[in-house]
Amino acid sequence: MTDTTPKSDGDNFTGRPWHLAGGVVLLLVLIAIVYWPAIGAGIIWDDFDGYAGNPLLHTWEGLRRIWMHPPSLPLDGHYYPLVLTGFWLEHQLSGGSVLVPHVTNIVLHAANALFIWAILRRLSVPGAWLAAAVWTLHPLQVESVAWIYERKNTLSFFFWLWAAWVWMPLATRWSWRRYAAVCVLFVCALLSKTSSVTLAPVLAILHWWMKDRLDRRDLAALASLFLAAFAFGLFDMFLFTARSPWDYGLTFANHLVLFGKTFWFYIGKLICPIHLMPIYPKWNLDAVRWTNWLFPLTAVLFLALIAVRWRKGDHALTAGTLYFLAALGPFLGLIEYNYFGTSYAADHLLYQASPGPIALACAAAVRGYRQLRLPQWAGTAAIALLIAVLGFLSWSHCRLFDSAETLFTHNLELNPQAFKAHLLIGGEQERRGAFEEAAEHYQAAIAIEPRYAPNHARLALALVRMGRLTQALEASQRSLAMDANDGLSLNNHANIVADLSGPEAALPYYRQAYERRPGVPIIQLNYAMALHETGRNTEALERLGEYDHLAGATPHSTLLRGFVLHELGETERARLLLDAALREEPGLTDLLLATAKAHEARGRQAPALHSYRQLLLLAPDDLTALNNAAWILATAPGEQNRNGEEARRHAERVNTLTNGRNPGVLDTLAAARAEAGDFEGAIQAAREAVERARSQGNDGLAHRAALRLEKYEQGRPHRAP
C-alpha cells in the first residue's frame, strides 16, 4: 500500500510552502478566467422555480418550511434543504440577484478543486495538482457550475470531499471526535443531494486503499454510514415517488444494455468532451438487437481486466475504477431515476465521479513522462497545452449558459429531437411576454412528441395569455386525456374553464386538482378562490387554512381571507386583513382592476362585478371601480346582476368625486337612476351628459347618451346588449 504521508505531488508543486501557495494561486486564477462567463449566466431550466421564482426564499416562514415541510418544496420533490437554505440566504442578501448564486457556485467549485488536490497529495498520487486542474477545468463540470440549481452538486461534493479529508487519518489512528465530524459532514452532503449516499462505499474504498484491510471497528463505523445512507435514500425516495411517481417500462435486459452504454458514454466524454449538451438523445435499448449487447459485454470485460490487474498488485487502478463505479453507481442505468424522462445521461451526473478516472489518467501520464526521461520543458509544455485546450472548451461552453434560449437552441442544433428544449425555450419567452414565440416552440415540442401531456399543457397556458381561450381549452383537454391525474394540469384547466364558463363550472376541476396534489399551495389558493366566488365561504376558509400551513400567509391569501370574512359578516376582521394585505402589496388594487376589466371585456359581467366590489372594499373611492360597477349594476342583461339602488349609490359617489363634470360618469348616473326608477333624475343626468360630451368634442358619447335619453323619456331603463 501507499504511504499516506505527503512527500511530493509528482508534479512541480512540492511540499515547500511557497510552492504550495503558487499552486493554489495558479489553480484559482485558472478557475476565475475559465468560469468568468458563468458569473453572467442566466436562468436555466429549474433555476426559476428553485431560486428566482421560489416564494419560500422570501420569508422566515419559507425557511421553516424548507426544513420542516418537504411537500411544499418546489420542483422534483427531492429533499435538498441545505441547498435551498443557501438560496434563502443569498436571496435575503441580494434581493434575488442571480449574480450571487453564480459566484457562490464558482467559489464552491474552486474549494472542491483544492480539496481534490489536497486529498491526492495526502495519498501521494503522482500528478496531484495536474489531476485537480484537469478536473476543475474539464468541460463536463461547466453544467454543475454555471447552472444555479446544480448547487446540489457543488455543495454536496464540498461536504463529500471534506468528509473524506477528515476520514483519512482514521486509517492509521482512530478518533471518535473525528468520526463524529465525518458523520456530520456526511449528513450535510445528504441534505444537499441524496445521491451523496455513495460517499459510504467511497470511504470504504479509500480506507482499504490506505490501510490494505478493514478491521471490526472500521467495518462497524462504515456500516453505520451505510445504514444512514440507506435510511436517507428510502426517505427521499418516499417523498419523491409520493409526489412524482414514475415508471419508464424498462426491462432487466434494457437496464443491462443501458449500463453498458452509460459506462462507455461517460468514459468517452471524459476523454473527448465535445458536443456537450443538457439533453442528449435517448439511446435505443432494444435487447433483441445483438449489437446493443456489445456495450455491457465490453464493459464487463474491461472490469475483469481491472480485477486481473488488482490480483497482480495494481491496487491504484482498482481503487480508481471502484471509486468511479461507486460514485456514479446510481446513474449507471441499473436503477431508474427521474431524469430518465429527459435523457439517459447528463454531464452534471459525472461531477462527483470524474476525479477517479482523471486522477488515474494524470498519474499514468506523469509516470510515463518519468520513465521516458523527457526534458522538463516537454512536460511543462504538454501540461500547458492540455490546460489551455480544456480551459478554452470550458470557457466556450460557459458562454452558452447566457440564457435558456441560447443554451437550448444550441441543444436543438445537436439534438433536434430534444422536445424538452423547445419547452424550456418557450418558458423563457413566456417570462419575457413573447407568448406567440413561446406557443410556436410548444407546438414544435408537440410535433416531436405528441404523447407527452406537458407539451399540450404548456401550449394551453401560452394560449391563455394570448387571450385564445377556446384553443387553450382544447389543448388543455388533450393534456388531461393523456394524464388525467396531473394536479397542476387540472388546476390550469380549471382556470381556463373559469375564464370561459365561470367558477361554478370550474369547481369540479379545482376539486380534482386538490385531491391529486393537496400539497401544492397554488392549487389550494385557486380552489379557495373558486369556493369563495361560488358562495362556499366556509369551505374556502378551510382551504385558505391549508394554504397558509403550506406556504405561510401571503398578501394574496390574506386578501382572499378578508373577502371571505366580509361575506361571512365579520367586517371588522375583514377590514384589518384587507388593510394588512394592501400595506404589504399595494399593487393588489391594480391587479383586481385588471382582472375586472378583463372579465368585462369578455362579456362576463358577474365575475367583473365581483372583482369591482372586491376592489371597492380596498379602495372605496376608486373612480373606475365605482363607475364600472354602477354601469353593470344598472344595465346588465341578466336580472341577477342588476341592483338599481347600489348602482345609484356608486354613481352618485363617483359623480360627486368628479364634480359633476365628467360626461361618461353622468351617463352612468342616468342609467343608474333609471334602473332605480327615478326617470326624472335619469333624464336630467342624461341631458347634462349629452351637453358636456358635445362641448368636449366627444360626439360618439353624445350620440349614445342621446339614444339612451330617449329611452328614459319613454320610462324605459337602458339594457346593455
Side-chain angles (χ1 to χ4, degrees):
M1 275 292 111
T2 306
D3 181 7
T4 61
T5 304
K7 302 183 181 69
S8 170
D9 304 67
D11 51 36
N12 290 331
F13 298 102
T14 65
R16 297 176 184 175
W18 67 274
H19 275 187
L20 294 176
V24 170
V25 170
L26 180 56
L27 197 57
L28 294 180
V29 168
L30 289 171
I31 292 170
I33 293 172
V34 169
Y35 288 98
W36 182 260
I39 291 178
I43 300 296
I44 306 298
W45 208 324
D46 44 13
D47 288 349
F48 182 80
D49 291 331
Y51 178 76
N54 188 349
L56 296 178
L57 307 184
H58 298 176
T59 63
W60 285 100
E61 172 62 18
L63 181 60
R64 186 190 70 81
R65 303 195 70 75
I66 285 171
W67 286 91
M68 304 305 295
H69 201 276
S72 65
L73 299 181
L75 302 169
D76 55 15
H78 287 298
Y79 189 55
Y80 305 141
L82 265 186
V83 171
L84 292 173
T85 299
F87 288 158
W88 187 92
L89 288 170
E90 289 165 338
H91 199 281
Q92 300 303 310
L93 293 172
S94 68
S97 166
V98 297
L99 173 66
V100 174
H102 281 306
V103 171
T104 304
N105 267 11
I106 295 172
V107 170
L108 284 170
H109 186 59
N112 293 340
L114 295 176
F115 258 133
I116 288 172
W117 181 24
I119 290 171
L120 293 177
R121 287 193 76 251
R122 180 172 277 183
L123 293 171
S124 296
V125 174
W129 184 90
L130 176 61
V134 169
W135 175 82
T136 195
L137 300 179
H138 200 288
L140 285 174
Q141 319 308 350
V142 169
E143 193 167 279
S144 295
V145 179
W147 184 347
I148 293 176
Y149 205 64
E150 282 310 312
R151 172 75 56 80
K152 297 173 292 185
N153 272 349
T154 55
L155 185 62
S156 65
F157 200 37
F158 173 75
F159 290 118
W160 162 302
L161 292 168
W162 193 356
W165 174 259
V166 174
W167 175 273
M168 291 173 73
L170 294 177
T172 54
R173 183 177 181 181
W174 183 259
S175 165
W176 285 107
R177 181 179 298 179
R178 187 173 287 274
Y179 175 68
V182 170
C183 292
V184 171
L185 292 169
F186 184 32
V187 170
C188 289
L190 290 170
L191 293 173
S192 302
K193 189 174 184 180
T194 313
S195 61
S196 296
V197 294
T198 54
L199 176 61
V202 165
L203 290 181
I205 295 165
L206 183 64
H207 206 85
W208 165 78
W209 162 254
M210 298 181 68
K211 195 175 179 179
D212 200 21
R213 62 186 176 83
L214 295 172
D215 56 32
R216 287 185 177 180
R217 186 169 55 188
D218 299 332
L219 290 172
L222 288 167
S224 65
L225 296 179
F226 273 94
L227 183 62
F230 180 73
F232 194 89
L234 283 182
F235 168 71
D236 185 75
M237 186 64 68
F238 169 77
L239 289 178
F240 183 86
T241 53
R243 178 169 170 176
S244 305
W246 75 79
D247 180 8
Y248 299 108
L250 299 183
T251 65
F252 179 69
N254 294 147
H255 280 292
L256 291 178
V257 171
L258 182 56
F259 162 76
K261 290 197 172 188
T262 304
F263 180 86
W264 290 117
F265 173 83
Y266 284 133
I267 295 294
K269 287 298 179 185
L270 281 168
I271 297 171
C272 185
I274 60 172
H275 299 314
L276 303 182
M277 66 190 90
I279 304 174
Y280 288 102
K282 280 193 171 185
W283 303 308
N284 182 304
L285 303 179
D286 187 358
V288 177
R289 183 182 296 183
W290 71 269
T291 53
N292 277 343
W293 288 101
L294 294 177
F295 294 94
L297 290 174
T298 52
V300 170
L301 179 60
F302 174 80
L303 296 176
L305 292 174
I306 297 295
V308 171
R309 295 295 304 167
W310 170 70
R311 291 181 64 84
K312 291 185 177 181
D314 194 345
H315 291 179
L317 181 60
T318 305
T321 304
L322 288 176
Y323 171 90
F324 178 70
L325 292 173
L328 194 59
F331 310 117
L332 276 173
L334 292 177
I335 59 175
E336 293 183 2
Y337 56 94
N338 59 304
Y339 202 71
F340 274 16
T342 301
S343 181
Y344 294 133
D347 295 346
H348 63 268
L349 300 178
L350 265 179
Y351 191 77
Q352 294 178 340
S354 52
I358 287 175
L360 280 175
C362 290
V366 169
R367 286 197 182 104
Y369 163 77
R370 288 174 177 170
Q371 290 173 358
L372 293 174
R373 297 184 178 179
L374 297 173
Q376 185 173 350
W377 66 265
T380 303
I383 291 173
L385 178 62
L386 176 62
I387 288 175
V389 170
L390 290 175
F392 176 75
L393 290 174
S394 292
W395 180 83
S396 301
H397 196 38
C398 270
R399 297 180 66 191
L400 293 174
F401 286 77
D402 172 66
S403 68
E405 189 166 359
T406 302
L407 178 63
F408 291 107
T409 298
H410 170 75
N411 201 141
L412 285 168
E413 292 172 359
L414 298 175
N415 179 16
Q417 296 303 306
F419 66 89
K420 284 193 176 180
H422 283 293
L423 291 182
L424 294 162
I425 295 171
E428 179 169 289
Q429 290 173 334
E430 272 196 74
R431 287 192 287 272
R432 292 204 315 259
F435 302 124
E436 290 280 358
E437 292 85 347
E440 290 176 5
H441 277 284
Y442 297 149
Q443 287 165 341
I446 291 170
I448 297 170
E449 183 48 85
R451 297 167 297 176
Y452 187 63
N455 289 345
H456 300 275
R458 293 301 300 271
L459 176 61
L461 287 175
L463 291 169
V464 167
R465 293 181 171 96
M466 293 158 60
R468 292 154 61 176
L469 294 179
T470 303
Q471 292 173 271
L473 183 64
E474 293 172 358
S476 183
Q477 287 170 336
R478 288 194 295 270
S479 172
L480 291 178
M482 298 173 194
D483 185 1
N485 294 317
D486 183 71
L488 290 173
S489 294
L490 282 164
N491 176 74
N492 296 332
H493 184 75
N495 291 339
I496 298 169
V497 172
D499 276 340
L500 282 170
S501 307
E504 193 71 49
L507 199 58
Y509 297 106
Y510 283 125
R511 186 177 295 110
Q512 290 178 50
Y514 165 72
E515 291 169 354
R516 301 295 190 277
R517 294 287 293 275
V520 178
I522 190 61
I523 292 177
Q524 295 276 10
L525 188 62
N526 286 344
Y527 188 24
M529 190 175 300
L531 289 166
H532 165 59
E533 290 177 346
T534 54
R536 298 166 172 85
N537 288 298
T538 303
E539 291 181 67
L541 275 181
E542 294 176 5
R543 298 290 77 76
L544 284 171
E546 291 188 29
Y547 174 87
D548 289 347
H549 178 69
L550 287 170
T554 63
H556 289 81
S557 68
T558 302
L559 181 72
L560 182 55
R561 185 181 292 274
F563 291 147
V564 170
L565 290 174
H566 184 272
E567 291 292 321
L568 292 172
E570 300 186 40
T571 53
E572 187 58 33
R573 283 184 63 196
R575 171 50 54 194
L576 292 173
L577 288 170
L578 295 175
D579 289 345
L582 198 55
R583 280 196 306 272
E584 192 169 349
E585 192 169 328
L588 289 172
T589 54
D590 296 333
L591 177 63
L592 280 171
L593 182 59
T595 302
K597 286 183 173 180
H599 286 313
E600 199 170 7
R602 295 171 187 163
R604 300 183 61 230
Q605 292 181 318
L609 181 60
H610 182 76
S611 295
Y612 283 131
R613 282 170 169 159
Q614 289 181 331
L615 177 55
L616 289 172
L617 288 176
L618 292 175
D621 289 338
D622 186 281
L623 300 180
T624 303
L626 284 167
N627 187 73
N628 291 8
W631 182 259
I632 294 172
L633 288 163
T635 68
E639 184 178 352
Q640 71 276 11
N641 294 325
R642 293 199 305 273
N643 186 319
E645 289 303 323
E646 185 183 353
R648 181 161 63 176
R649 188 170 64 252
H650 290 329
E652 295 285 3
R653 178 60 182 162
V654 72
N655 190 50
T656 300
L657 292 171
T658 56
N659 300 314
R661 297 176 181 175
N662 187 306
V665 171
L666 286 165
D667 187 33
T668 301
L669 177 59
R673 286 173 174 172
E675 178 61 24
D678 180 11
F679 287 101
E680 184 177 338
I683 291 169
Q684 180 185 351
R687 285 174 178 170
E688 288 184 41
V690 172
E691 290 173 6
R692 288 195 175 275
R694 285 173 178 167
S695 67
Q696 294 176 13
N698 192 341
D699 294 334
L701 176 58
H703 176 68
R704 292 191 298 273
L707 292 175
R708 287 189 274 271
L709 174 58
E710 293 177 4
K711 293 181 180 179
Y712 308 147
E713 289 173 338
Q714 297 169 9
R716 294 186 295 119
H718 174 66
R719 293 287 176 265

